[in-house]
Amino acid sequence: TMKNPVPQAASLLLEKLLLLVHIRPLPAGSGGETPPPAPGYYDTSCFKRGDLLEVPRTLFIHFGIYLGENRVAHLMPDILPTITSDRRQIQQVVTNKRLILGVIARTARVRVDTVEDFAYGGSILVNHMDRLFEDQVLGSEEVARRAEELVGTTAYSLLWNNCEHFVTYCRYGAPVSFQTEKFCETVKMIIRDERSVLASVLVGLVSIVCLGVAPSTTLPTIFIPFFLWMAG
């Protein structure tokens, strides 16, 4: 018997939603969010100004640019800058609620945090993407300068402006997101499978709400498969 692909597709979509909002996992039985490691948790002596830092997670990779002196510039969805101009509040560690609302509102901030707040206990890869951009790596001071110039509130979109777009622009001169490309390929596979048409509708709706996709390109994705399914 053929398995119903809709639950599988819905499960995949849930994973991608977690990717979108960069949710930090909570330990079992935890009543609140996991605090970042204490200062000095990471040995920053091996980092150089302008380095591209990657923190692999279960469902996504978070990126930042090292600025020196235990400071990392990175782009995160965040609703708070649209609500208040209080820098002390904005600079506090971004909570999952702020992340989720930032994704929905399509607003983010390029912020500067300590390595501990940036990596949140995860392992850190340094300049791991350089192998994909062999002759395009900019000078370290130029990389850091670009990152510092972009600090502040900005628009957020998984497709057009996420943390990977930010670091690839800073270090290689062009905004690229391989995570986004993989996500889009996954969406295409779901949509092409007529058996998962309900999941296709769900994917399209999420695209409108969270990803900043233009309705003119997304609505056919949602309703054409749906009407075909109804007619079939």
Side-chain angles (χ1 to χ4, degrees):
T1 59
M2 184 178 298
K3 294 183 179 180
N4 184 355
V6 174
Q8 296 175 359
S11 175
L12 176 63
L13 179 60
L14 177 60
E15 290 184 355
K16 295 308 176 184
L17 282 173
L18 292 176
L19 181 153
L20 297 184
V21 298
H22 304 256
I23 288 179
R24 301 186 183 100
L26 302 181
S30 164
E33 299 196 7
T34 309
Y41 181 86
Y42 293 97
D43 178 10
T44 61
S45 62
C46 58
F47 301 153
K48 299 176 185 176
R49 181 170 163 84
D51 279 350
L52 192 161
L53 306 185
E54 300 182 31
V55 182
R57 300 293 190 187
T58 304
L59 301 174
F60 66 93
I61 301 173
H62 189 48
F63 299 86
I65 298 293
Y66 188 65
L67 301 179
E69 300 179 345
N70 198 34
R71 297 174 303 129
V72 182
H74 59 128
L75 186 152
M76 293 186 71
D78 188 4
I79 189 66
L80 201 57
T82 65
I83 299 173
T84 179
S85 58
D86 188 330
R87 292 187 178 183
R88 291 180 58 187
Q89 289 188 44
I90 293 172
Q91 192 54 38
Q92 292 177 1
V93 175
V94 179
T95 63
N96 287 336
K97 184 181 296 185
R98 283 169 60 179
L99 284 166
I100 295 170
L101 293 176
V103 171
I104 294 173
R106 301 175 193 167
T107 185
R109 183 173 178 82
V110 176
R111 50 186 289 133
V112 178
D113 286 311
T114 64
V115 173
E116 287 77 19
D117 286 350
F118 161 74
Y120 233 80
S123 59
I124 300 177
L125 302 177
V126 182
N127 299 328
H128 189 63
M129 295 179 70
D130 282 5
R131 70 193 193 283
L132 303 176
F133 298 87
E134 293 180 358
D135 301 320
Q136 297 174 253
V137 181
L138 301 176
S140 58
E141 192 57 38
E142 172 66 11
V143 174
R145 184 190 64 79
R146 286 180 172 224
E148 289 168 340
E149 286 183 348
L150 292 174
V151 170
T153 303
T154 184
Y156 177 80
S157 168
L158 173 72
L159 298 181
W160 316 119
N161 194 37
N162 62 38
C163 62
E164 191 174 5
H165 291 110
F166 165 69
V167 298
T168 52
Y169 165 76
C170 292
R171 188 163 176 85
Y172 311 117
V176 178
S177 177
F178 296 107
Q179 290 188 119
T180 295
E181 292 175 4
K182 290 181 181 178
F183 175 77
C184 291
E185 286 302 316
T186 301
V187 170
K188 289 177 183 177
M189 289 176 62
I190 293 175
I191 292 173
R192 287 170 184 162
D193 187 347
E194 293 181 1
R195 297 167 298 170
S196 61
V197 63
L198 293 179
S200 300
V201 174
L202 188 57
V203 168
L205 289 172
V206 169
S207 297
I208 290 178
V209 173
C210 296
L211 307 187
V213 179
S216 61
T217 59
T218 306
L219 290 177
T221 297
I222 298 174
F223 293 112
I224 291 176
F226 180 72
F227 288 135
L228 289 175
W229 176 67
M230 291 291 289

